């Protein structure tokens, strides 16, 4: 009897613990509240917290950058820099279980996801008001005049701004072995025929020469075609909004994409594309290039031109303009510094951190090159140079937070860019088009991962000849049609299209107001 | 009868109560307390998260602290059982894991027996060290080694064989001895039929040596008297192994097999580092699927449902094998 009572009491106790646990876990337990008020931009915060991913490491003096910022502004800057592989998991968890940082670095894939979830503060008003204040000659915001607004616009979602660009998104450009071109008596290709002829000439060198390599046939994130612009050409292997009909279509299933498959198939079957393209990682491609095996490789413009050249034992690498059919290179959506909706004094943080770090002066220097005499130094002749990393003395500091070659402001950077970096960027920027922020909603989140698996299978099977293009596309319809249609149905629903039209109209009216204001300002100045 | 009952009650009354017994063994309970706390916090408390399987729990619910939306009910399970990629992933998980488990059991036992036969102590240590080493490599390194040695070259026409891997180069040499037509390299990592073979080999290369440790320990506990008696009875080495060593190892084999059976749904890293879009149909497993929808797609409710399903399957497999073991051998491990 006693035993039974004890058992019952134990079971009851355990159940209560479980229920308490469920209840405890269920509660949000949030200490911070969402504050969407614009606030006073001059109400200087005492402290700003950041969560960063691609900045200089703690071992190399990230704390020194924060300390210097406090010295310059009187605001304490704290940071959290999780392991790169788990960065976005940590970002999500920070919203769930603790107070998220005020400012969060956001890559182009996660930026729209978090903006769509309502986690990021809409800073459109802050930007617009800063422009107004700058026009009136207010102090602390006049840097808006030196910021290239194309990069701001590149982060707009339905006209609203949920993040501030850290630097340009950058894009990829085709690098070619100049010495191989010279040996073949060829010029840099201008169109697809010349491009293919160049690859054939490279192949004819023998000795395992790989005419062109890439890491996969579809990139793992948007823009999916970025590494194979010469083959995708007009095709958009993704869901996009057709400007003529105003409706969303699946570009992967369109004839243009079939054409790209045909082009890819011909080149692959002829041995012009690296046979290991499907299993390649970007590091594998770079290794092959460094070993002197690769003739052409599409990779990031800017600093990577120098790194790739330095990785090569021999030969000269040159960045080339896009071929006619490729319609230019694609500028990725910039990495954003977004602000959590839980952050206090948002307008002030916008002014004292986001604008300050792009001020073209000491703020910009700090967040671009770091701290004087730790990360860079001035020589007696007045020139400025980067110092070696604290824990890697063989290499010089490339950036503290924002890559100098990808700056979004017009400023006089005292540390000159390497000529090769400059050249690749100049060629790239002459031919780039800005990618738009990918559309995100719950239906896309639910179906895109499965759809992309099918797409990868289809392109790989078609290009490597395991299926004919028709068979591959039939497979796409069978296996991927469900996911693609679910996304399209949602995006093309009347409610969604109406909401988008409303947002576009709102953005247009705001833009036309700006233009009118600018015109009025110009007229005033003229008077 | 009444007397009997009285006697029985007498025994019960005299038995120390649970409180008394706990007090008597209080120092043992105190010693166990940290373990119990760790178990509760890190193993049982997280299990409460299974409730998310019946909810919609995505980025929005997390970032805005709305909490899971339980109106979904069985929706996640409905989606799970009607999803083609999940069916494919489930099938691949079972096939890959089952064959891997069989190969693992057979190979580790055979190799442990062979190591046990090595008489020279130094030779034995060298062989053991060589066999254990791959275990300490990460899966990324292991996959990179296999990609290099199995490469089919970088020329899709097969005409330029300069960049072919070690295995294809050897096969090509042998092939060319008997054929006049050029050798077409085998693309081991993008051909579905070869990919699974490579995966099994990579797994066994990396883990077989490590798996022998437990069998070598079990082998060392077999009484030498048994071998001596068998030798006097005229049994040769093979018969000694078959009639003494293998039966003595059966208990260990059974325990290891059942414990490994519980893990068969958990393969991830070894697949993730080796698979590619040309072999998704034979290589995509439940864990890689969960990674895509859960981590990449931020669908935590759905991925919890998959995780729960996976755990239930593992529980059924372990329970079933334990029941079978009890029926066949008279005892199990649970």
């Amino acid at each position: 009897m006693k035993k039974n009572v004890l058992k019952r009491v134990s079971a009851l106790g355990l159940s209560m613990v479980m229920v308490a646990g469920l209840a405890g876990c269920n509660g949000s337990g949030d200490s911070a509240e969402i504050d969407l008020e614009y606030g006073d931009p001059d109400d200087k915060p005492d402290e700003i917290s950041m969560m960063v991913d691609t900045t200089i490491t703690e071992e190399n003096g990230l704390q020194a950058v924060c300390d210097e910022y406090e010295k310059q502004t009187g605001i304490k800057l704290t940071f959290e820099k999780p392991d790169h592989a788990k960065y976005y998991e940590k970002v999500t968890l920070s919203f769930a279980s603790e107070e998220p940082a005020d400012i969060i670095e956001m890559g182009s894939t996660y930026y729209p996801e978090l903006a769509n979830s309502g986690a990021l503060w809409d800073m459109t008003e802050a930007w617009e008001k800063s422009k107004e204040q700058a026009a009136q000659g207010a102090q602390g915001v006049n840097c808006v005049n030196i910021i290239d607004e194309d990069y701001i616009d590149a982060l707009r979602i339905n006209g609203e701004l949920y993040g501030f660009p850290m630097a340009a998104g950058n894009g990829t450009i085709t690098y070619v072995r100049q010495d191989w071109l010279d040996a073949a008596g060829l010029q840099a290709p201008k169109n697809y025929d010349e491009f293919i002829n160049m690859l054939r000439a490279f192949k004819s060198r023998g000795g395992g020469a790989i005419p062109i390599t890439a890491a996969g046939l579809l990139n793992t994130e948007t823009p999916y075609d970025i590494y194979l612009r010469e083959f995708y050409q007009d095709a958009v292997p993704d869901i996009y909004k057709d400007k003529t009909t105003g409706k969303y279509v699946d570009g992967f299933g369109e004839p243009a994409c079939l054409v790209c498959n045909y082009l890819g198939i011909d080149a692959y079957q002829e041995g012009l594309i690296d046979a290991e393209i499907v299993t390649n990682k970007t590091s594998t491609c770079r290794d092959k290039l460094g070993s002197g095996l690769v003739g052409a490789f599409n990779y990031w413009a800017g600093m990577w031109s120098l790194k790739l050249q330095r990785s090569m034992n021999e030969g000269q690498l040159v960045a080339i303009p896009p071929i006619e059919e490729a319609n230019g290179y694609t500028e990725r959506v910039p990495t954003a510094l977004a602000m959590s909706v839980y952050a206090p004094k948002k307008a002030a943080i916008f002014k004292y951190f986001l604008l300050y770090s792009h001020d073209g002066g000491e703020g910009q220097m700090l967040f671009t090159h770091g701290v004087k005499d730790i990360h860079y130094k001035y020589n007696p002749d007045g020139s400025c140079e980067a110092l070696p990393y604290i824990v890697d003395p063989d290499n010089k500091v490339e950036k503290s937070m924002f890559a100098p070659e990808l700056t979004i402001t017009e400023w006089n950077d005292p540390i000159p860019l390497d000529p090769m970096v400059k050249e690749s960027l100049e060629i790239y920027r002459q031919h780039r088009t800005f990618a738009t922020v990918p559309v995100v909603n719950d239906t896309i989140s639910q179906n895109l991962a499965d759809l992309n698996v099918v797409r990868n299978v289809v392109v790989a099977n078609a290009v490597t000849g395991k299926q004919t293009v028709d068979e591959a596309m039939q497979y796409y319809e069978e296996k991927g049609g469900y996911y693609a249609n679910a996304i399209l149905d949602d995006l093309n629903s009347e409610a969604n299209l109406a909401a988008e039209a409303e947002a576009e109209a709102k953005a247009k009216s705001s833009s036309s107001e700006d233009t009118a204001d600018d015109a009025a300002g110009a007229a005033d100045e003229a008077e | 009868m009444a007397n009997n009952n009285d006697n029985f009650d007498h025994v019960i009354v005299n038995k120390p109560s649970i409180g008394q017994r706990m007090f008597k063994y209080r120092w043992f309970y105190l010693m166990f307390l940290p373990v119990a706390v760790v178990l509760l916090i890190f193993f049982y408390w997280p299990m409460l998260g299974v409730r998310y399987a019946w909810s919609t729990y995505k980025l929005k619910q997390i970032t805005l602290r709305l909490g899971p939306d339980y109106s979904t009910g069985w929706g996640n399970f409905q989606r799970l059982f009607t999803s083609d990629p999940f069916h494919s992933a489930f099938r691949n998980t079972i096939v890959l894991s089952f064959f891997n488990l069989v190969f693992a059991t057979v190979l580790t036992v055979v190799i442990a027996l062979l190591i046990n036969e090595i008489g020279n102590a130094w030779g034995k240590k060298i062989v053991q060290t060589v066999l254990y080493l791959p275990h300490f490599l990460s899966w990324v390194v292991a996959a990179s080694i296999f990609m290099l040695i199995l490469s089919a070259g970088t020329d899709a026409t097969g005409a330029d064989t300069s960049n072919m891997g070690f295995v294809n180069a050897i096969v090509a040499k042998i092939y060319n001895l008997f054929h006049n037509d050029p050798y077409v390299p085998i693309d081991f990592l993008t051909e579905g039929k070869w990919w699974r073979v490579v995966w099994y080999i990579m797994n066994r290369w990396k883990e077989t040596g490590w798996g022998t440790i437990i069998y070598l320990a079990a082998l060392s506990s077999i009484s030498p008297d048994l071998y001596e008696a068998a030798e006097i009875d005229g049994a040769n080495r093979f018969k000694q192994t078959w009639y003494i060593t293998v039966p003595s190892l059966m208990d260990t084999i059974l325990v290891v097999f059942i414990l490994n059976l519980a893990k068969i749904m958990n393969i991830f890293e070894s697949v993730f580092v080796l698979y590619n879009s040309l072999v998704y149909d034979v290589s995509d497993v439940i864990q890689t699927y969960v990674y895509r929808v859960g981590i990449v797609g931020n669908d935590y409710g759905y991925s919890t449902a998959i995780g729960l399903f996976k755990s239930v399957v593992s529980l059924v497999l372990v329970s079933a094998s334990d029941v079978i073991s009890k029926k066949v051998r008279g005892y199990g491990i649970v």
Side-chain angles (χ1 to χ4, degrees):
Chain A
M1 183 63 187
K2 242 184 187 178
K3 209 173 179 182
N4 282 341
V5 170
L6 196 70
K7 269 186 184 174
R8 281 174 193 170
V9 170
S10 307
L12 187 69
L14 196 63
S15 309
M16 282 171 73
V17 169
M18 297 282 274
V19 169
L22 285 164
C25 287
N26 201 26
S28 55
D30 48 344
S31 51
E33 293 297 327
I34 297 178
D35 171 19
L36 294 175
E37 287 299 312
Y38 175 68
D40 178 6
D42 295 319
D43 183 12
K44 204 179 196 182
D46 297 326
E47 187 177 332
I48 298 173
S49 57
M50 295 183 76
M51 193 179 246
V52 289
D53 181 27
T54 62
T55 62
I56 199 167
T57 60
E58 202 172 345
E59 300 79 34
N60 280 315
L62 181 54
Q63 184 59 52
V65 176
C66 297
D67 293 344
E68 180 63 23
Y69 175 76
E70 188 173 1
K71 214 163 101 185
Q72 290 177 7
T73 61
I75 301 169
K76 189 179 179 192
L77 185 62
T78 58
F79 65 86
E80 190 184 344
K81 187 173 164 54
D83 177 42
H84 174 68
K86 292 188 172 172
Y87 180 72
Y88 288 104
E89 200 180 320
K90 291 278 180 191
V91 169
T92 312
L93 281 176
S94 77
F95 277 95
S97 57
E98 59 195 69
E99 296 216 357
D102 300 329
I103 293 171
I104 305 164
E105 184 183 335
M106 287 274 140
S108 57
T109 305
Y110 259 75
Y111 166 66
E113 291 262 8
L114 273 155
N116 180 57
S117 78
L120 305 182
W121 181 56
D122 180 355
M123 54 180 74
T124 320
E125 190 182 353
W127 172 250
E128 299 302 337
K129 282 194 173 168
S130 302
K131 284 203 304 184
E132 284 169 21
Q133 289 165 356
Q136 291 158 6
Q139 291 298 305
V141 291
N142 49 356
C143 65
V144 298
N145 297 324
I146 57 167
I147 293 174
D148 185 342
E149 207 163 345
D150 282 347
Y151 297 110
I152 302 284
D153 292 340
L155 280 172
R156 286 185 192 272
I157 300 172
N158 290 333
E160 310 294 340
L161 191 64
Y162 296 91
F164 200 85
M166 272 179 98
N170 201 15
T172 62
I173 187 167
T174 303
Y175 295 100
V176 171
R177 283 282 296 264
Q178 182 65 54
D179 51 325
W180 287 19
L181 274 178
D182 294 342
L186 294 171
Q187 297 289 317
K190 291 187 175 59
N191 54 45
Y192 186 73
D193 288 340
E194 288 181 15
F195 185 75
I196 289 294
N197 280 339
M198 178 189 76
L199 298 184
R200 283 183 184 133
F202 288 172
K203 183 177 163 59
S204 69
R205 293 174 66 88
I210 304 166
I212 187 168
T213 190
L217 291 157
L218 278 175
N219 191 21
T220 50
E221 58 184 15
T222 56
Y224 295 111
D225 58 341
I226 199 163
Y227 291 127
L228 289 167
R229 290 293 313 131
E230 287 83 6
F231 297 102
Y232 277 100
Q233 301 185 1
D234 286 332
V236 182
D238 194 11
I239 284 170
Y240 70 96
K241 196 171 191 178
D242 186 342
K243 283 177 185 166
T244 51
T245 60
K247 288 198 167 185
Y248 286 91
V249 289
D250 181 11
F252 195 89
E254 288 188 327
C257 206
L258 288 176
V259 171
C260 86
N261 283 338
Y262 283 121
L263 295 175
I265 290 161
D266 289 345
Y268 184 89
Q269 303 297 345
E270 207 182 324
L272 303 180
I273 297 177
D274 186 352
E276 293 181 320
I277 190 165
V278 178
T279 53
N280 276 344
K281 311 271 182 267
T282 48
S283 57
T284 330
C285 299
R286 293 198 301 265
D287 289 345
K288 287 176 179 175
L289 184 82
S291 313
L293 289 172
V294 175
F297 178 42
N298 185 287
Y299 208 57
W300 300 101
M303 198 55 83
W304 271 106
S305 61
L306 197 62
K307 287 183 182 174
L308 292 176
Q309 180 63 62
R310 283 180 181 161
S311 75
M312 290 165 59
N313 298 325
E314 55 174 20
Q316 176 67 39
L317 210 58
V318 62
I320 62 166
I323 60 170
E324 285 163 21
E325 294 87 342
N327 293 325
Y329 294 126
T330 311
E331 173 93 9
R332 197 172 47 161
V333 173
T335 298
L337 287 174
M339 223 183 286
S340 146
V341 284
Y342 300 100
K345 300 184 177 182
K346 297 181 186 69
I349 294 177
F350 182 85
K351 178 182 172 182
Y352 285 101
F353 185 83
L354 296 181
L355 293 185
Y356 180 74
S357 59
H358 291 90
D359 69 348
E362 62 175 6
Q364 177 124 24
M365 193 65 189
L366 175 63
F367 289 102
T368 305
H369 293 297
V371 182
K372 192 182 162 198
D373 296 329
I374 294 178
H375 300 115
Y376 68 91
K377 68 167 183 178
Y378 279 98
N379 295 316
D381 63 359
S383 63
C384 185
E385 67 170 316
L387 288 169
Y389 283 109
I390 297 167
V391 294
D392 180 16
D394 293 337
N395 290 301
K396 287 187 171 179
V397 174
E398 288 176 6
K399 64 172 183 179
S400 61
M401 287 196 187
F402 312 151
E405 75 279 12
L406 302 178
T407 181
I408 59 164
T409 55
E410 278 180 36
W411 73 301
N412 292 320
D413 189 341
I415 303 181
L417 287 178
D418 182 278
M420 196 169 177
V421 174
K422 214 171 169 181
E423 191 190 339
S424 75
L425 281 171
E426 274 169 11
I427 296 172
Y428 164 75
R429 283 177 183 158
Q430 281 167 18
H431 301 95
R432 69 177 169 182
T433 48
F434 282 86
T436 52
V437 180
V439 184
V440 171
N441 62 29
D442 283 351
T443 314
I444 293 176
S445 299
Q446 186 170 316
N447 293 286
L448 194 62
D450 287 333
L451 181 61
N452 276 340
V453 168
V454 181
R455 284 172 176 172
N456 271 291
V457 172
V458 168
V459 178
N461 280 342
V463 171
T464 58
K466 288 191 165 44
Q467 284 181 323
T468 64
V469 172
D470 291 340
E471 284 168 351
M473 295 313 287
Q474 196 180 335
Y475 177 88
Y476 181 66
E477 273 172 34
E478 282 169 16
K479 302 282 181 182
Y482 168 80
Y483 306 112
N485 290 335
I487 295 172
L488 288 175
D489 288 349
D490 190 41
L491 289 176
N492 288 328
S493 67
E494 281 180 22
N496 185 59
L497 290 176
E500 282 188 6
E502 192 184 333
E504 275 171 29
K506 193 178 153 194
K508 264 183 195 167
S509 79
S510 147
S511 156
S512 57
E513 274 172 24
D514 284 350
T515 317
D517 289 346
D518 289 347
D524 289 346
E525 273 178 30
E527 276 176 21
Chain B
M1 192 65 186
N3 280 340
N4 281 347
N5 279 342
D6 287 342
N7 289 340
F8 187 67
D9 285 340
H10 177 74
V11 172
I12 294 292
V13 168
N14 283 341
K15 192 182 174 188
S17 69
I18 189 163
Q20 284 172 321
R21 274 180 284 152
M22 281 180 79
F23 183 75
K24 186 181 175 187
Y25 298 114
R26 59 192 177 279
W27 301 116
F28 289 117
Y29 281 106
L30 190 67
M31 203 164 70
F32 176 69
L33 190 65
V35 179
V37 169
V38 167
L39 277 173
L40 278 172
I41 294 174
F42 294 106
F43 291 86
Y44 287 92
W45 194 262
M47 277 191 210
L48 300 176
V50 295
R51 67 193 187 282
Y52 298 141
W54 288 273
S55 75
T56 298
Y57 200 25
K58 295 184 179 179
L59 209 53
K60 191 172 190 171
Q61 278 84 14
I62 291 175
T63 55
L64 296 183
R65 298 170 186 175
L66 302 172
D69 173 8
Y70 289 102
S71 62
T72 315
W74 292 90
N76 286 328
F77 292 95
Q78 218 166 358
R79 183 179 156 200
L80 181 75
F81 294 120
T82 52
S83 159
D84 279 350
F86 175 76
H87 288 164
S88 168
F90 182 65
R91 190 177 56 244
N92 290 333
T93 308
I94 295 290
V95 171
L96 288 172
S97 292
F98 177 75
F99 283 106
N100 190 39
L101 182 60
V102 171
F103 295 145
T105 308
V106 173
L107 275 173
T108 42
V109 171
V110 168
I111 288 177
L113 291 174
L114 291 174
I115 291 173
N116 198 44
E117 291 297 313
I118 299 173
N120 183 302
W122 275 100
K124 193 173 180 176
K125 279 179 184 168
I126 290 169
V127 170
Q128 279 179 284
T129 308
V130 169
L131 286 171
Y132 295 165
L133 271 178
H135 171 78
F136 297 100
L137 298 176
S138 73
W139 281 111
V140 178
V141 174
S144 302
I145 292 170
F146 274 76
M147 280 178 184
L148 278 175
I149 63 172
L150 295 173
S151 171
T154 50
D155 181 9
T157 64
D160 188 341
T161 57
S162 318
N163 299 325
M164 254 183 349
F166 168 72
V167 173
N168 264 309
I170 288 182
V171 178
K173 280 198 174 148
I174 297 167
Y175 182 89
N176 290 337
L177 290 175
F178 304 102
H179 299 83
N180 292 326
D181 54 323
Y183 169 71
V184 179
I186 302 166
D187 209 341
F188 291 101
L189 295 171
T190 57
E191 296 273 354
K193 62 185 176 190
W194 283 108
W195 187 91
R196 280 184 176 169
V197 176
V198 172
W199 187 81
Y200 294 133
I201 292 172
M202 185 178 80
N203 268 271
R204 288 307 93 227
W205 171 76
K206 192 170 178 299
E207 298 300 339
T208 301
W210 190 251
T212 59
I213 292 176
I214 199 161
Y215 294 113
L216 287 171
L219 283 168
S220 68
S221 67
I222 302 173
S223 171
D225 297 351
L226 294 172
Y227 293 106
E228 207 177 316
E231 211 173 318
I232 291 166
D233 288 343
N236 59 22
R237 292 298 284 263
F238 178 77
K239 286 195 171 173
Q240 285 177 35
T241 304
W242 188 250
Y243 290 109
I244 298 171
T245 315
V246 172
S248 303
L249 278 181
M250 278 314 285
D251 290 349
T252 312
I253 293 172
L254 190 73
V255 170
V256 173
F257 183 83
I258 294 178
L259 289 178
N260 284 338
L261 202 61
K263 295 187 281 187
I264 71 165
M265 304 299 280
N266 291 342
I267 46 173
F268 175 67
E269 277 175 292
S270 56
V271 172
F272 190 69
V273 293
L274 201 69
Y275 79 161
N276 60 70
S277 44
L278 281 169
V279 290
Y280 272 143
D281 55 336
V282 294
S283 63
D284 194 22
V285 290
I286 290 181
Q287 294 282 63
T288 50
Y289 181 65
V290 167
Y291 170 78
R292 283 200 306 274
V293 297
I295 306 296
V296 180
N298 296 307
D299 198 343
Y300 303 104
Y302 181 54
S303 49
T304 308
I306 301 173
L308 181 59
F309 173 76
K310 196 167 64 75
S311 301
V312 169
V313 172
S314 295
L315 183 70
V316 168
L317 283 173
V318 170
S319 306
S321 58
D322 192 61
V323 167
I324 293 168
S325 164
K326 278 174 182 160
K327 291 224 172 206
V328 174
R329 293 186 60 82
Y331 57 86
I333 65 162
V334 182

